[in-house]
Each structure stands twice: as C-alpha cells, then as structure tokens.
Amino acid sequence: MRTCRRALTVLALTLPLAALGAVPVVDDNSGSAGSSYPPSGYGTAGAYAGGGATAQPSAQGQLFMQLQQMQDEISRLRGIVEVQQNDIQQMKQEALDRYKDLDSRIGAGGAPAAPANNSASDGGVNAGGAPVAPAGGASAAQAPQTSTEPGDPAKEKLYYDAAFDLIKAKDFDKASQAFSAFLRKYPNSQYAGNAQYWLGEVNLAKGDLQGAGQAFAKVSQLYPKHAKVPDSLYKLADVERRLGHTDKVKGILQQVVAQYPGTSAAQLAQRDLQRL
C-alpha cells in the first residue's frame, strides 16, 4: 500500500516537468539586424527577379491609371464641346440680329423713297477717292442693260410688290430670285434702285455674304443718286466686316460720314468708326 502511494507521488512530481520540456523556447534576441516583419515578399504579386527589378503595378493600380486617363480625355472633349456651343450660339444670335434688322427695315416701307437715277456711274468713291469695289473682289458693275419691254410703271410696281411680299413672308430664296428677275426685266425702272438694295438685304438674311456685298455695292455704282445709297454703303461695310476685310470697312464708313451727313446711315457709321 505504501509502495503504491510512493509511486503515485513520484508520478505527480514528474508530469509537470515533462510538460514544461515540451513547450518550445523562443529567444527574443535570436533575430538578426536585417530581419523584418512581415517577411520579405509578403503581399506582393511575386518575388523580385534579378535583385534590382521593381514590382509590376497591381491590377487595381492599372485600373486607376486607365480611369484617370479617361477623366482627362472627357475634360478635354467637354472643353471642345463648350467652344463649339459658343460658336453656334454666336451664329444663331447673328442670324437673329439680321432678321430683326430686316423686319425693322421692312416696317419702314418697301416703296422707293425717291426715283432712281438710272444713268451709269463711275462707281462709288470712298473718302480717299478710291472706288469702292463689290465685296468678294468682284469687278465694278456695268450700266443696267436696257430692257426690251416698254416701261409700264403700274406693271413694274406689281412685280416689285410681289417680290417684296416674299420678304415679308420670309421666303428669302424666292425673294432673291424675284428681285434678280425684276432687275433683269426692268433695269431702268424707278423701283430698280430699291430692288437692288433689297436684293442685298435678302442675300444677307440668307447668309450669302458674297451676294449681299455685290448687291449693296451695285446700288451706289448703278444708282448713285438714289436715296438708298447711304444705307447700302453702310450695309456694305457690315458685310466686309463679316468677311474679315477690315481694311475696307473704315474707308466705306468714312465715305458714308463724309458724303451723306445727317442721314441715319452716317450716324451709325460715325458710331462704328469710334469703335474701331
């Protein structure tokens, strides 16, 4: 009995010592100076190759770079669109201004303010004594051709009024054709000067700057005594400005101020000269 108790006592004393020997001993000072945590290569796409190579960007990094490039391209395209929208808005505003100006002139009446002088002229002359050429470099207009049809003021007025009604209806294409046909058929009519002027207005409303400039220039060249000459020259200056011929604009405006003082065209020309 005593022997069994002694054996149990020895076994109880030896078990803790055996368990203690099974626990691994960690030496905190065993690490070298170059060791680090986490271990080298942890979390990278792959091990470094060749000792000096850099790690390739991750898939997330490539996606971020592509997204940044797309945002930059979108910003550039937005800038282009804004510029185009501004240009379109400016063109619309200029067209609207032309229509408003045309409406105001239509309201002033389409009948001739004074009979046209149908004698041929040497062309318009600017303040410096140089002839005013039609817009677009066209040669000076020749004298109106003599119509083979006998003059009939009543018939001419009906023809002219029909062309003018097309302006009121804003059918500018047909109005341009009607006034051109009228001038071919009745070049010496008392309404010819007005028809020549309104042909310029119609072409301007259509956006045909070349045709408008030529029509306005012919008013002073073919009908130099007509009351529409100051207005036609002022409108010619406006056409030249739109065409970018700034060197011609000042001379035409000076001609209007010098030769037609007191007219509304001269007042507008004086205002524009101050802005140049």
Side-chain angles (χ1 to χ4, degrees):
M1 187 67 175
R2 289 181 179 178
T3 303
C4 292
R5 289 179 177 177
R6 189 175 296 172
L8 292 173
T9 301
V10 172
L11 181 61
L13 292 173
T14 56
L15 282 174
L17 294 174
L20 182 63
V23 177
V25 179
V26 179
D27 184 1
D28 292 340
N29 297 325
S30 62
S32 62
S35 64
S36 62
Y37 184 85
S40 177
Y42 179 82
T44 61
Y48 293 101
T54 59
Q56 296 296 324
S58 64
Q60 292 86 348
Q62 292 178 350
L63 182 61
F64 176 79
M65 292 173 61
Q66 292 176 357
L67 180 60
Q68 187 65 39
Q69 292 175 353
M70 291 175 62
Q71 290 177 340
D72 293 341
E73 182 66 14
I74 290 173
S75 298
R76 186 182 70 84
L77 293 175
R78 282 179 177 173
I80 295 175
V81 170
E82 288 179 358
V83 172
Q84 291 178 343
Q85 287 177 339
N86 290 335
D87 292 342
I88 292 173
Q89 185 62 34
Q90 183 177 359
M91 292 173 63
K92 288 182 177 179
Q93 186 61 46
E94 289 181 355
L96 180 60
D97 291 342
R98 289 199 299 268
Y99 291 147
K100 288 181 177 179
D101 180 66
L102 184 57
D103 284 337
S104 65
R105 292 177 182 275
I106 291 173
N117 185 330
N118 296 320
S119 60
S121 94
D122 294 332
V125 179
N126 63 22
V132 175
S139 60
Q142 298 177 353
Q145 297 178 355
T146 303
S147 175
T148 57
E149 183 174 333
D152 185 346
K155 189 175 181 179
E156 293 169 9
K157 188 175 190 308
L158 288 174
Y159 205 135
Y160 174 85
D161 288 342
F164 195 80
D165 286 341
L166 291 171
I167 301 181
K168 294 179 180 179
K170 291 184 172 55
D171 192 343
F172 301 127
D173 288 330
K174 289 184 179 179
S176 177
Q177 296 172 7
F179 280 117
S180 297
F182 177 89
L183 290 167
R184 288 194 300 268
K185 192 170 185 177
Y186 304 111
N188 299 318
S189 169
Q190 63 174 332
Y191 303 101
N194 264 46
Q196 187 68 59
Y197 171 83
W198 286 108
L199 178 60
E201 288 281 12
V202 168
N203 288 337
L204 185 60
K206 289 170 52 182
D208 180 6
L209 297 180
Q210 296 287 345
Q214 293 173 8
F216 285 132
K218 286 182 179 180
V219 177
S220 61
Q221 293 169 350
L222 302 181
Y223 314 103
K225 303 290 186 181
H226 199 278
K228 284 292 188 182
V229 170
D231 290 337
S232 65
L233 289 174
Y234 177 76
K235 299 296 288 190
L236 176 60
D238 181 54
V239 171
E240 297 288 8
R241 178 187 62 81
R242 294 172 187 268
L243 289 172
H245 303 159
T246 53
D247 55 328
K248 298 181 180 180
V249 174
K250 187 175 182 180
I252 298 173
L253 293 176
Q254 289 174 340
Q255 175 187 358
V256 176
V257 173
Q259 296 184 3
Y260 307 99
T263 62
S264 59
Q267 295 175 0
L268 293 173
Q270 185 64 51
R271 179 202 63 184
D272 290 353
L273 283 171
Q274 294 174 354
R275 295 177 178 177
L276 292 179

